[in-house]
Amino acid sequence: MLVFLIRRLGGLVATLLVATVVVFAVLEILPGDPASLMLGVNAQPDTIAALRTELGLDRPALARYLGWIGGMLVGDFGISYTYRVPVAGLIADRALVSLPLALMALLLSTAIAIPLGTLAATAHNRWPDATVMGFAQVGVAVPNFWFGILLVYLFAVTLRWVPAGGFAGWDAGPAAALASLILPAIALALPQAAILARVMRSALLDVLHEDYIRTARAKGLPFLATVWRHAVRNALIPVLTILGLQFAFLIAGTIIIENVFYLPGLGRLIFQAVAQRDLIVVQSLTVLLVATVVIVNFLVDLAYAAVDPRLRDTGR
Amino acid sequence: MSETAIDGVNRRSMVARALRHPSFLIGAAITLTLLAAALVSFVWTPFPVAEVVIRDRLQPPNPVHWLGTDAFGRDIFSMLLVGARNSLGVAVVAVAIGIGIGVPLGLAAAAEGGLLDSILMRGSDLVFAFPALVTAVMITAIFGPGAINAMIAIGIFNVPVFARVTRGAARALWGREFVLAARVAGKTRARITVEHVLPNVASLIIVQSTIQFALAILAEAGLSYVGLGTQPPMPSWGKMLADAQTMMAIAPWLAIVPGLAIVASVLGLNLLGDGLRDVLDPRLDRTR
Amino acid sequence: MRRTVHALAAGLVLAAGLTAPAFAQKTTATIGMRLEPPHLDPTAGAAAAIDEVVYQNVFEGLTRIDADGSVKPGLAESWSISDDGLTYTFQLRDGVTFHDGTGFDAEDVKFSFDRARADESTNAQKRIFEPIEAVTVVDPETVEITLSRPAGSFLFDLGWGDAVIVAAESADTNTTAPVGTGPFKFSRWVKGDSVLLERNEAYWGEPAALTGATFKFVGDPAASLAAMLAGDLDAYPNFPATENLPQFEADPRFAVVVGTSEGETILALNNREKPFADLKVRQAISHAIDRQAIIDGAMFGYGTPIGSHFAPHHPAYEDLTGTYPYALEKARTLLAEAGYPDGFEATMKLPPTTYARRSGEIIASELSKIGITVEIIPVEWAQWLEQVFKGHDFDMTIVSHTEPLDVDIYARDDYYFGYDNPEFDAIIDTLQSEADPKARNALFRQAQDMIAADAVNGFLFQLPKAGVWNAKLKGLWSDAPIQANDLTDVHWAP
């Protein structure tokens, strides 16, 4: 187990290191200069040069890379070019929107998907199964931004139940904050719920065909009790894997939804930072997002290895 | 994981299964309609698709403009047809990139194992770890937005998908008797891969392709919606949605029509994929 | 520490004000803006959004630009100009304090201007200070500025956001915690969402009617519409989607005020490259552009056609839209005469604004009628600056020039569209040292005529300043003589 752990940990660090190089290199070839963008069309060349010096953009690439990596190791992500504040604080602010949003979407999708998936599997090949799978098919096919637009017009503009978008901020009270997150969370959750329901159903179907379920049934345990006590719990392993991946996806994958609902989250931060050539924000945030995914994967692998020792020997 | 051998005997039963399979039939019908729309758009559209006629703008659906006109007076139905061509085009190339690079990589990793396998797996971890849209944003920031760059951005993420699916299925096959027999007979790994492994993972790849195809259509719509994908004057469903969003209150058909087109296409392809999986091998459906 | 507590308390008060029931008299306003400012120091960045939040609200200059574009006294109560136009003596207001409690005097003026014109200055409009030779403190309430050459628009320029007065103690932290002398104090910045201001109770002039204001950044046009309709915003002084204005006009809850802006929207042509170096080609393009169709299609009818690079509301404006009227036959003939009977291919690089993207699509369709095949290349602002503005690597582009009275850009050396006409340069030279308004207007007219006749660019329309706000909210500017959302006089009608 220890060898496995060390090997996987080594892989994790290597992946992250490669990621930092890739991100930095890509941003180096990105056309556009942050300083001239900030000063606009009337700026004089010496003004731009002065700002470049102030931002440290005149240093050689290697020095900037090493400075950035070194800083990140001690938790210093640098100073944003455009906002002139520490990047870490900027990211933390935005994470206070994206993380709760992702979490809400995840909870919603789980709350929808687990019962529906279970229902479909237990009623395999009968009408509840067909109905649930039909909805799941449509759910997967709906673009979440389109769904978001429709939600805004129905619930915010026409019915005026919730704000049309924006984020009230947590100090406006949790109720107001959650109200501004509910529509985007629904828009995000729908396709995820559809995927999750399908995974739940097929995982449960697999388990229901296992011998021990037949044994349990043969011992006279009622069907629903069997499903609950033995099947659902075992089926949750693949479901949890998907959930882990979805959470990582949701944190970064909300750019479009954050645009529809003009939420100040991480997705929009990175989108704007690219447009403004706030490279230090882009590179730090990208690496952070990559790290999130890699670490979630690592934890999932660990969980698997803990459950199933055979997996420790294979590559994956 | 099951062993799929496509031979003459069960080909006939496959057709029979297909014809009795409702989601396959619905999916195939929608996909063929989509394909037909895309093909028709090459030779005919009711109106020239890029022609701006300001005085005809924002007409609701009527006998002349079946689905109405947009803010520039362009015919929505014509744009929808050409948009289908655009969506399909981007998706075909993106999936082709995934298959073209991913399948050989997956086969090689399964055949060779060892270092190559590790590198491939770590590499695909790395690609998966990058947020897709962020990567797309950067690709377009460097090369400029456009359909081609959308194809590349979506294609990149298809590579590890196909590589993993292929590798997983192929690795299972390498432990099978018929492959072992071929090895004993002195065939090279490359030859075994081509003669025995590839034919047996083909159906899995086909099924995965339809799924990735549907995802690619969604991804293209998303990229075009945020302005990173297909550019005017070429119409695209995602861009039509983006343009329509502010006009929701005055011209709702502008947002509803392309949205439904996306939903229908993705739904059709997914149904086709599910159907194909059952038809190609009835046992596969529970392995997913 | 006390400061933080205070700001926090103010934030809570504001928040309470915002969520108060609709029937209670509101004393705050939430203003929608398209872009979030990168930071809040108007003397260290070009972003219009900075001025739109802090100009006249937080920071003030010696002069200020009024709602109608005239120059009014600001922190300077009065001034006198020497006969040779080289010495300006400003009499400063008494009893003005910065928001941090420190007093304002002539030293602050000297500090601000010397900082702006220093070598390491990052002021985006450094050219304003370029004529300044020396800033001298005569006494705490008197400042004397000597110029090296007469500058005709000096008093106007001092009213820009880039020339506001800052204090030495807070100059370096103004980016995140701006400290000025204005009627509102900075309270809080929710990054990515909003900036909150609160009333400055110690203001030297008439205190503001509003107790606080929130500037909320809603970039997406569709989201802006939804937010206005849902009542999340009280005003959107520069509404980004003109297609929705009729909807607001039909709704008695809203007032729609379409005013003038300083944004001349042009189809810029690269005059230094073939085929655009040829006057006949440029004339052909001008003849092929149907301005009304562009205004109808791209701006939904809001916008004033222009025939030169000059704002229609200015006294010196001349209507030159008839110089090259929409005439396709004429355009084809000119193109043939220039040696392009079958037209040619050209690229059009479009920055990411709605007006540019939409106008571009329409113009591409219009130019195709005279055989010019346009390839549209969308670019981000960073790329636009790099490729078009600095690199001159473009054929055509569409952009709105939003600085007031900026016709002098046609005289700048190596400016991006590459117009080079010594006669025009001479007009601008004279203009820059001319202070007499009458003579200045005559020169402005000459300048307009010349660039219109030379068809330097395709002159499209003056960008409208389409404001939408709650019908009960009064006192917002209808026009935009300068980029600002001056809240000094804003109040709720009972």
Side-chain angles (χ1 to χ4, degrees):
Chain A
M1 188 68 191
L2 194 67
V3 178
F4 168 79
L5 202 69
I6 290 169
R7 222 179 54 203
R8 292 291 288 119
L9 216 53
L12 189 144
V13 172
T15 309
L16 284 180
L17 209 59
V18 175
T20 60
V21 175
V22 171
V23 171
F24 191 82
V26 166
L27 293 182
E28 277 302 294
I29 55 171
L30 207 63
D33 169 40
S36 37
L37 189 65
M38 286 159 68
L39 291 173
V41 294
N42 277 343
Q44 292 168 350
D46 59 329
T47 318
I48 295 176
L51 184 58
R52 283 184 64 86
T53 312
E54 196 181 311
L55 298 175
L57 282 166
D58 54 347
R59 290 189 300 153
L62 188 66
R64 275 182 289 127
Y65 174 75
L66 292 176
W68 171 53
I69 293 292
M72 281 217 296
L73 286 177
V74 295
D76 174 14
F77 289 52
I79 306 284
S80 156
Y81 297 160
T82 31
Y83 292 114
R84 313 277 181 97
V85 294
V87 175
L90 205 57
I91 291 177
D93 281 355
R94 303 301 185 99
L96 279 178
V97 178
S98 288
L99 286 179
L101 175 61
L103 209 61
M104 264 175 92
L106 207 64
L107 286 178
L108 263 173
S109 84
T110 315
I112 300 169
I114 300 297
L116 286 185
T118 311
L119 175 71
T122 47
H124 189 39
N125 282 340
R126 279 177 289 134
W127 68 265
D129 185 20
T131 315
V132 169
M133 284 302 101
F135 274 116
Q137 286 284 13
V138 176
V140 175
V142 174
N144 58 18
F145 54 92
W146 187 60
F147 189 52
I149 296 169
L150 299 182
L151 286 177
V152 167
Y153 275 87
L154 183 59
F155 292 105
V157 176
T158 314
L159 297 172
R160 299 207 207 164
W161 288 356
V162 282
F167 186 65
W170 288 106
D171 30 349
L178 291 179
S180 48
L181 291 181
I182 186 75
L183 283 192
I186 294 173
L188 277 172
L190 176 86
Q192 304 301 326
I195 296 172
L196 208 58
R198 291 174 66 161
V199 172
M200 181 66 200
R201 170 180 174 271
S202 61
L204 201 53
L205 281 178
D206 277 353
V207 177
L208 287 175
H209 284 83
E210 295 282 344
D211 291 340
Y212 63 91
I213 297 288
R214 286 191 203 140
T215 317
R217 295 243 19 212
K219 282 197 296 190
L221 216 57
F223 180 63
L224 280 179
T226 320
V227 168
W228 181 242
R229 221 179 284 168
H230 298 279
V232 170
R233 259 188 258 168
N234 281 305
L236 279 180
I237 295 170
V239 170
L240 283 177
T241 314
I242 298 286
L243 272 180
L245 292 176
Q246 283 188 346
F247 187 65
F249 159 80
L250 281 172
I251 293 173
T254 55
I255 298 180
I256 296 184
I257 279 297
E258 283 174 7
N259 267 319
V260 173
F261 293 92
Y262 63 102
L263 291 172
L266 292 173
R268 221 175 60 169
L269 175 66
I270 206 165
F271 201 68
Q272 287 171 343
V274 171
Q276 293 164 341
R277 295 297 183 269
D278 197 348
L279 304 181
I280 187 90
V281 171
V282 179
Q283 62 200 32
S284 300
L285 185 49
T286 309
V287 167
L288 211 61
L289 292 173
V290 170
T292 313
V293 176
V294 173
I295 290 169
V296 167
N297 279 343
F298 174 69
L299 293 178
V300 168
D301 279 3
L302 274 194
Y304 262 120
V307 173
D308 187 350
R310 280 173 305 168
L311 287 171
R312 288 173 210 165
D313 306 328
T314 60
R316 185 93 185 132
Chain B
M1 194 64 55
S2 72
E3 179 182 333
T4 24
I6 302 174
D7 53 39
V9 181
N10 68 18
R11 187 155 288 158
R12 196 179 314 140
S13 72
M14 258 168 52
V15 174
R17 273 207 301 275
L19 289 177
R20 272 184 281 113
H21 199 292
S23 51
F24 176 83
L25 289 178
I26 299 170
I30 295 176
T31 309
L32 285 176
T33 313
L34 182 67
L35 196 64
L39 290 177
V40 163
S41 77
F42 278 104
V43 290
W44 175 83
T45 52
F47 290 85
V49 76
E51 193 185 38
V52 171
V53 189
I54 298 297
R55 75 187 128 76
D56 289 346
R57 71 183 201 273
L58 293 179
Q59 289 185 12
N62 60 57
V64 183
H65 296 283
W66 297 343
L67 296 175
T69 58
D70 76 351
F72 294 164
R74 293 177 298 198
D75 182 55
I76 295 293
F77 184 59
S78 306
M79 289 173 81
L80 207 61
L81 291 181
V82 182
R85 183 213 299 175
N86 173 62
S87 284
L88 284 184
V90 171
V92 164
V93 176
V95 173
I97 292 174
I99 294 179
I101 303 174
V103 171
L105 280 180
L107 288 174
E112 300 297 328
L115 188 64
L116 180 70
D117 194 29
S118 300
I119 292 176
L120 182 78
M121 282 301 110
R122 293 290 84 77
S124 81
D125 276 355
L126 188 69
V127 177
F128 273 136
F130 272 88
L133 208 54
V134 173
T135 309
V137 169
M138 287 195 214
I139 288 179
T140 48
I142 295 173
F143 301 108
I148 303 215
N149 294 325
M151 292 171 187
I152 296 172
I154 303 168
I156 287 178
F157 285 92
N158 275 327
V159 172
V161 172
F162 281 102
R164 284 195 171 187
V165 166
T166 310
R167 171 188 173 272
R171 259 176 79 108
L173 289 171
W174 278 95
R176 295 265 170 192
E177 282 120 26
F178 68 99
V179 173
L180 291 176
R183 288 180 72 172
V184 172
K187 288 188 186 175
T188 60
R189 281 168 178 268
R191 201 167 150 202
I192 295 172
T193 298
V194 174
E195 285 179 8
H196 301 284
V197 179
L198 186 58
N200 281 297
V201 295
S203 63
L204 203 64
I205 293 170
I206 292 170
V207 169
Q208 193 66 41
S209 300
T210 62
I211 294 163
Q212 295 308 119
F213 205 95
L215 287 176
I217 287 183
L218 271 180
E220 194 279 332
L223 286 181
S224 297
Y225 172 79
V226 289
L228 300 176
T230 312
Q231 294 299 327
M234 183 72 173
S236 100
W237 294 346
K239 177 154 190 309
M240 286 167 80
L241 267 182
D243 290 345
Q245 209 181 337
T246 55
M247 299 174 212
M248 191 75 182
I250 45 175
W253 64 91
L254 290 180
I256 290 170
V257 168
L260 287 179
I262 297 170
V263 174
S265 310
V266 175
L267 185 63
L269 281 160
N270 279 338
L271 287 175
L272 182 69
D274 284 4
L276 269 180
R277 181 164 51 222
D278 294 353
V279 168
L280 290 175
D281 178 2
R283 281 204 53 204
L284 266 175
D285 83 316
R286 259 177 281 111
T287 57
R288 224 184 89 75
Chain C
M1 184 61 206
R2 184 185 296 163
R3 199 186 172 84
T4 331
V5 173
H6 190 63
L8 208 66
L12 289 175
V13 170
L14 264 184
L18 292 176
T19 48
F23 51 80
Q25 181 68 40
K26 273 177 87 166
T27 57
T28 64
T30 306
I31 316 282
M33 278 173 53
R34 207 168 59 78
L35 293 175
E36 175 171 25
H39 58 79
L40 295 173
D41 184 353
T43 66
I50 302 173
D51 287 336
E52 284 167 8
V53 173
V54 298
Y55 181 72
Q56 275 314 117
N57 297 329
V58 177
F59 288 109
E60 297 170 304
L62 290 187
T63 63
R64 71 185 173 89
I65 312 296
D66 209 4
D68 61 4
S70 57
V71 179
K72 292 280 162 66
L75 289 174
E77 209 166 43
S78 62
W79 51 80
S80 60
I81 308 170
S82 65
D83 289 339
D84 59 2
L86 289 177
T87 309
Y88 286 67
T89 311
F90 293 94
Q91 194 60 42
L92 306 181
R93 271 181 215 281
D94 193 16
V96 178
T97 53
F98 282 95
H99 299 150
D100 60 359
T102 56
F104 157 83
D105 62 20
E107 288 298 339
D108 294 306
V109 177
K110 180 171 170 54
F111 168 78
S112 299
F113 290 173
D114 284 349
R115 171 174 173 261
R117 60 201 190 97
D119 282 346
E120 67 278 9
S121 151
T122 53
N123 194 301
Q125 305 288 346
K126 211 171 159 185
R127 50 164 205 89
I128 293 178
F129 311 97
E130 188 257 310
I132 298 180
E133 197 162 82
V135 184
T136 323
V137 175
V138 178
D139 62 55
E141 276 155 45
T142 317
V143 173
E144 192 178 272
I145 300 179
T146 41
L147 307 183
S148 54
R149 58 168 175 81
S153 58
F154 191 61
L155 286 174
F156 185 86
D157 289 348
L158 287 187
W160 284 48
D162 306 83
V164 296
I165 306 303
V166 298
E169 298 85 357
S170 46
D172 290 337
T173 50
N174 277 340
T175 48
T176 48
V179 173
T181 55
F184 289 92
K185 293 196 273 192
F186 168 77
S187 157
R188 203 159 62 93
W189 185 355
V190 184
K191 284 276 159 55
D193 187 70
S194 52
V195 168
L196 278 72
L197 305 182
E198 57 176 301
R199 182 160 65 194
N200 173 14
E201 303 296 348
Y203 187 53
W204 56 266
E206 177 98 2
L210 294 177
T211 56
T214 304
F215 287 96
K216 206 165 171 67
F217 314 113
V218 190
D220 187 56
S224 313
L225 168 68
M228 277 306 294
L229 288 179
D232 297 347
L233 298 176
D234 297 317
Y236 210 122
N238 220 334
F239 198 74
T242 43
E243 58 266 41
N244 297 124
L245 294 182
Q247 199 182 338
F248 288 118
E249 278 169 351
D251 191 331
R253 290 183 293 147
F254 300 105
V256 176
V257 180
V258 180
T260 57
S261 80
E262 297 297 325
E264 294 84 19
T265 312
I266 58 170
L267 169 71
L269 307 172
N270 194 343
N271 281 237
R272 55 174 82 67
E273 303 283 338
K274 273 174 94 171
F276 306 100
D278 188 334
L279 175 63
K280 287 197 163 123
V281 171
R282 301 200 302 267
Q283 288 171 329
I285 290 174
S286 292
H287 275 303
I289 293 174
D290 181 356
R291 293 191 185 89
Q292 200 52 51
I294 296 168
I295 292 172
D296 286 346
M299 306 302 296
F300 287 76
Y302 297 90
T304 316
I306 53 171
S308 186
H309 195 106
F310 215 74
H313 55 82
H314 194 276
Y317 172 76
E318 269 189 282
D319 185 356
L320 294 167
T321 47
T323 314
Y324 301 109
Y326 181 57
L328 289 181
E329 247 348 282
K330 192 83 199 290
R332 285 190 197 102
T333 318
L334 280 165
L335 216 50
E337 282 172 20
Y340 301 97
D342 304 317
F344 52 85
E345 286 180 12
T347 59
M348 189 191 284
K349 291 193 170 160
L350 298 178
T353 56
T354 316
Y355 70 80
R357 295 280 164 94
R358 286 187 183 161
S359 307
E361 276 194 67
I362 298 171
I363 290 173
S365 167
E366 287 180 342
L367 291 183
S368 73
K369 290 177 189 156
I370 60 165
I372 301 176
T373 311
V374 177
E375 187 201 343
I376 292 175
I377 304 173
V379 291
E380 304 170 71
W381 278 120
Q383 290 162 323
W384 188 87
L385 276 177
E386 188 108 332
Q387 298 170 8
V388 178
F389 194 76
K390 273 203 250 163
H392 308 152
D393 174 21
F394 74 108
D395 294 336
M396 302 188 248
T397 184
I398 294 176
V399 71
S400 206
H401 284 262
T402 52
E403 260 114 29
L405 285 179
D406 56 357
V407 70
D408 64 294
I409 56 176
Y410 287 74
R412 285 191 200 166
D413 290 337
D414 218 25
Y415 205 59
Y416 75 103
F417 42 70
Y419 179 58
D420 186 16
N421 183 347
E423 274 181 71
F424 185 86
D425 298 355
I427 297 176
I428 298 299
D429 261 355
T430 328
L431 190 68
Q432 261 157 3
S433 47
E434 179 60 70
D436 174 48
K438 235 185 187 149
R440 283 177 67 84
N441 284 353
L443 288 164
F444 275 134
R445 281 194 199 98
Q446 278 184 39
Q448 292 173 60
D449 287 343
M450 198 172 287
I451 51 174
D454 278 345
V456 183
N457 295 312
F459 302 105
L460 306 178
F461 56 87
Q462 195 74 13
L463 211 59
K465 181 197 163 299
V468 178
W469 47 78
N470 188 307
K472 288 200 158 110
L473 192 66
K474 309 288 179 195
L476 280 159
W477 286 11
S478 16
D479 301 329
I482 193 163
Q483 284 143 351
N485 288 312
D486 186 345
L487 301 179
T488 318
D489 299 327
V490 175
H491 58 276
W492 288 95

